[in-house]
Amino acid sequence: MIIILLLACREPAEQTENGPGDDPTVTTDPTLPVPEAVDTAYGVDSAAETGDTGPEPPLFWTYVDTDSIHSCGLVSDGSVRCWGIDECTNNTPRPWEQLTQISLGIGQGCGLRPDGTLLCWNCDHFDEEVRRETPPGVFLRVEVGAGAACAQDAAGILTCWGVDFVVGTPPPGPVLDFALDANATAAVLPDGSIIAWGDAALWGDDSPPVGVVFSNISMGRRHACGLDTTGLAWCWGDSQNLSPFPPAPPGVWAQIETFNDASCVIDDLGTVSCWYGYPSVSFSLWESQRPAVPFAQLGLGEWDGCGVTLTGEAYCWGGDPSVETWLDVPDLNP
């Protein structure tokens, strides 16, 4: 049997622009789309393999405070932002100085670094006691008043410094909560009672109600308010005109803030209710400008206020932001 093998003669294949060993699927034709880089061994997008997960999530506020001269807030990435008059913002922490808590007094402030140490500052031409006398140590919380501050350690013990008549002598043992104002300092003791030191005339002829077990306290100019362990609010002391400060509204509240001659409470849904000692044009303006949104936290100054909403936005009110720069909250996601 004769087998004839026929070999077909073919034209040589047209040479592409790819060199030897190049992927023939890649073309240099500029009119064609460039294919995405894919890991052929695992079928994984090379961008994901390098850890590129796309755009960063938007930033939001977690806490804000004001002293009616400058304001500061904590951001979701751990940074701190401050705004207000130049005499303050020249000295306030920069965004890269991460803080876990902040508190502002009149022209000064303090914050806690992630390691629990203190960072304090003061505005130009204001008292330097808080910054100059900042104590060493590790703390869990700090509160600043007018020319004085107190910090609490892990055992609940207070360390206070600054103006003598405000600082006074804190209790030697642990406290549950504490607050400062321009004239005095007060704290909630482990049994729920309240002790105050500093200006003896702080609350006039009034005093904290006996038999109430408090969980926290907040102080104004001549009055104070606190929440008991059931969430009821109590107030005592005088208004600015020396009349008794009005009682707190009924209800169960999650937070209470007292400032100047007024107080505010927030419930679990973020509803805010504020009241004042005597009729005031300034307070009426303050109330009319407060946004009607649910708040998670309030930080109140002399006549201005700031707050963080349940969704992480921050607002400040009580005046004209174009003039009172501490009300002009910076945009975190321009």
Side-chain angles (χ1 to χ4, degrees), residues 37-108:
V38 175
D39 187 322
T40 56
Y42 300 99
V44 178
D45 190 317
S46 61
E49 188 179 33
T50 59
D52 184 1
T53 57
E56 294 291 331
L59 299 174
F60 57 90
W61 299 96
T62 61
Y63 189 90
V64 68
D65 199 8
T66 185
D67 66 351
S68 297
I69 298 174
H70 75 305
S71 303
C72 292
L74 299 180
V75 185
S76 54
D77 63 355
S79 63
V80 58
R81 311 291 173 88
C82 295
W83 59 99
I85 63 175
D86 292 341
E87 288 84 350
C88 292
T89 56
N90 290 339
N91 304 325
T92 53
R94 299 300 181 251
W96 59 83
E97 295 180 288
Q98 305 238 323
L99 298 177
T100 61
Q101 193 237 319
I102 53 173
S103 177
L104 303 186
I106 298 178
Q108 52 209 320

Side-chain angles (χ1 to χ4, degrees), residues 84-334:
I85 63 175
D86 292 341
E87 288 84 350
C88 292
T89 56
N90 290 339
N91 304 325
T92 53
R94 299 300 181 251
W96 59 83
E97 295 180 288
Q98 305 238 323
L99 298 177
T100 61
Q101 193 237 319
I102 53 173
S103 177
L104 303 186
I106 298 178
Q108 52 209 320
C110 288
L112 287 179
R113 299 184 179 96
D115 63 1
T117 58
L118 289 163
L119 172 66
C120 295
W121 63 92
N122 67 277
C123 304
D124 295 340
H125 314 303
F126 283 83
D127 293 335
E128 299 181 5
E129 287 89 347
V130 170
R131 176 187 58 80
R132 188 175 59 243
E133 301 175 12
T134 303
V138 175
F139 301 96
L140 297 182
R141 181 183 167 201
V142 62
E143 291 292 330
V144 180
C150 292
Q152 186 180 37
D153 65 18
I157 306 299
L158 292 181
T159 298
C160 299
W161 68 100
V163 179
D164 290 341
F165 72 86
V166 178
V167 172
T169 303
V175 302
L176 300 180
D177 192 37
F178 62 101
L180 295 87
D181 194 60
N183 303 308
T185 308
V188 180
L189 299 179
D191 64 359
S193 62
I194 289 177
I195 183 174
W197 59 97
D199 186 352
L202 170 66
W203 296 325
D205 296 330
D206 207 352
S207 59
V210 177
V212 176
V213 180
F214 285 93
S215 60
N216 72 352
I217 185 172
S218 182
M219 295 175 62
R221 279 297 181 94
R222 294 184 58 87
H223 79 286
C225 296
L227 296 180
D228 66 20
T229 53
T230 68
L232 298 179
W234 302 79
C235 295
W236 59 94
D238 292 339
S239 301
Q240 293 285 59
N241 62 357
L242 303 184
S243 63
F245 190 79
V252 176
W253 307 102
Q255 180 189 346
I256 190 164
E257 287 292 326
T258 298
F259 68 109
N260 205 323
D261 198 36
S263 294
C264 296
V265 285
I266 309 176
D267 67 14
D268 287 332
L269 299 178
T271 304
V272 177
S273 179
C274 299
W275 67 104
Y276 51 88
Y278 68 100
S280 165
V281 174
S282 297
F283 185 77
S284 298
L285 173 65
W286 190 94
E287 272 286 79
S288 67
Q289 292 184 341
R290 176 168 55 85
V293 296
F295 281 95
Q297 176 263 328
L298 294 177
L300 308 179
E302 279 291 285
W303 286 112
D304 302 309
C306 295
V308 176
T309 70
L310 295 179
T311 54
E313 293 93 6
Y315 295 94
C316 292
W317 61 92
D320 182 357
S322 65
V323 177
E324 298 171 307
T325 54
W326 53 91
L327 302 178
D328 189 14
V329 180
D331 186 359
L332 295 179
N333 303 287

